[in-house]
Amino acid sequence: MSSARSSILSTADARRPVVAAAALAAFARSGYHGTTVADVAREAKISPAYVFKLYSGKEALFVVALEACFDAIVSALEEGADAAADTSPEGVLDAMGDAYAHLISDRKLLMLQVHAQSVAEIPAIGEALRAGLERVTTFAKTRSRASDDDVQRFIAYGQLCHLIVTTQLDGRPGDWVALLTKGITHPD
């Protein structure tokens, strides 16, 4: 009996990251209100009942997707910091920014954050969003050793990058577009 139980647990443990990745993709595509548990199950290629065995419902799935999103962001920032040729605080922040720009060229992580912001009034989602932002901010501050003002600017530029990417401003005409996108490039 113990062997069968541990096999079930290991299967569940193995499925959790698959379901988290499926939740990230599904919620990034359709948002919180436009995605069902059945959509996540279909994306994960498992039954909705099994998803409910792993997670208590849609809100928990969104939270786990958001946690996976911030895991990927912190990992990319770490890789950027590790690869920084210039190890000054500004150089490390620049390298982390470049790594983040490459990461969000796959729009899933970006869109999940946008959708999370739109439903941040849901207590568990708002808390997960704030916890993720705390992780990113704390990592950027600790790893770069930059001033508070520089870290704030780093986060602000990240949000500006979100705006540029989600509104597809790159390459569009207009003085206002040039003003917002000046000096900011994103990989294709």
Side-chain angles (χ1 to χ4, degrees):
M1 173 101 173
S2 163
S3 174
R5 175 120 174 98
S6 68
S7 174
I8 292 168
L9 289 176
S10 64
T11 301
D13 290 342
R15 289 285 177 111
R16 285 184 201 283
V18 171
V19 173
L24 196 156
F27 286 119
R29 189 172 38 253
S30 302
Y32 181 77
H33 295 296
T35 304
T36 65
V37 172
D39 295 330
V40 173
R42 194 171 18 265
E43 184 84 24
K45 297 178 175 57
I46 61 176
S47 73
Y50 195 71
V51 172
F52 277 113
K53 282 186 81 146
L54 298 175
Y55 296 100
S56 61
K58 182 169 145 174
E59 192 174 296
L61 282 168
F62 195 95
V63 167
V64 77
L66 196 53
E67 289 168 347
C69 173
F70 281 109
D71 288 346
I73 291 168
V74 171
S75 179
L77 296 180
E78 186 171 19
E79 288 173 17
D82 289 346
D86 174 358
T87 59
S88 70
E90 297 79 15
V92 172
L93 285 176
D94 285 346
M96 286 193 286
D98 288 345
Y100 183 71
H102 284 286
L103 181 70
I104 64 167
S105 63
D106 172 1
R107 293 173 50 100
K108 283 190 302 238
L109 298 178
L110 171 63
M111 293 310 300
L112 185 69
Q113 291 174 74
V114 170
H115 288 304
Q117 290 172 4
S118 76
V119 292
E121 76 280 358
I122 298 171
I125 294 172
E127 183 57 36
L129 180 59
R130 287 185 294 277
L133 291 171
E134 177 184 16
R135 284 181 62 202
V136 168
T137 304
T138 301
F139 180 82
K141 172 71 177 162
T142 303
R143 186 61 189 269
S144 70
R145 304 168 329 277
S147 70
D148 290 354
D149 288 345
D150 286 342
V151 173
Q152 182 186 46
R153 202 169 3 270
F154 173 77
I155 299 295
Y157 272 108
Q159 293 302 304
L160 179 57
C161 287
H162 286 189
L163 179 69
I164 291 168
V165 171
T166 59
T167 58
Q168 302 172 347
L169 289 181
D170 279 334
R172 293 196 183 266
D175 291 342
W176 70 275
V177 173
L179 185 137
L180 288 180
T181 61
K182 181 181 177 186
I184 298 176
T185 58
H186 295 95
D188 293 328

